[in-house]
Amino acid sequence: MKQAGKNSKSTFASLTDAISQVLSDDEGSCFGICNEVGTAKIANPFANADIAYVESPYSYNSITDFRDNIRSIRNVWLGSTNSTANDYSFHTFFASVKQDAVNEAVEKAYVSAIEGISNMPAPFVKYCSVVWGKNFDDPDNWESTTE
């Protein structure tokens, strides 16, 4: 980020371009990750009733993976992995320009998302299979439990 637009090795023409990439709705950006967790990783299994749409179904790590995806957004926002904003973070920048409402909104959103995901029935794949009316305990023989 510090080198954005400063030399020919920079991927981005300017710091604004680099920031836009991190926060935009492109794949891999903060918005993109958030959107993928909600509309794909959580919603698709229910919409499609298919285990192929469940992340980490056999290790029962779906909920951990969802939380970690949102934590990655928190880490980008704070510029650290210890839940504390560093000197070169988005949090620190918005605080320096007196935009505390932006920090509060972003931080409330990721805290709320992490808490909501933590409160989901676990393991996620077994909850999905109940909703689907299928027996997850025998994944080789997926039979409807409503027959």
Side-chain angles (χ1 to χ4, degrees):
M1 294 286 275
K2 292 193 295 187
Q3 297 302 317
K6 292 187 177 182
N7 61 50
S8 62
K9 292 182 181 179
S10 177
T11 303
F12 302 100
S14 69
L15 180 57
T16 301
D17 290 343
I19 291 169
S20 292
Q21 179 64 38
V22 171
L23 300 179
S24 73
D25 61 355
D26 290 341
E27 184 177 342
S29 68
C30 290
F31 179 85
I33 290 168
C34 189
N35 188 50
E36 179 185 22
V37 170
T39 64
K41 292 181 178 187
I42 294 173
N44 278 350
F46 294 106
N48 295 291
D50 186 341
I51 194 170
Y53 289 96
V54 177
E55 182 163 326
S56 306
Y58 300 108
S59 65
Y60 297 156
N61 282 335
S62 303
I63 291 173
T64 298
D65 292 347
F66 303 154
R67 272 194 313 253
D68 287 348
N69 288 157
I70 303 302
R71 284 184 182 125
S72 73
I73 296 167
R74 178 199 63 200
N75 295 348
V76 166
W77 190 258
L78 298 175
S80 71
T81 58
N82 66 6
S83 300
T84 304
N86 77 25
D87 292 342
Y88 301 103
S89 67
F90 288 109
H91 172 92
T92 301
F93 168 76
F94 282 100
S96 76
V97 295
K98 309 221 182 304
Q99 293 295 316
D100 294 328
V102 172
N103 272 329
E104 289 171 17
V106 170
E107 292 167 9
K108 181 179 178 184
Y110 65 65
V111 166
S112 176
I114 292 168
E115 288 174 356
I117 291 166
S118 296
N119 291 324
M120 292 171 63
F124 182 71
V125 70
K126 284 199 174 188
Y127 176 67
C128 290
S129 68
V130 168
V131 171
W132 301 333
K134 295 184 178 180
N135 181 357
F136 180 77
D137 291 325
D138 186 5
D140 293 328
N141 185 22
W142 271 54
E143 299 174 2
S144 174
T145 58
T146 59
E147 293 180 327

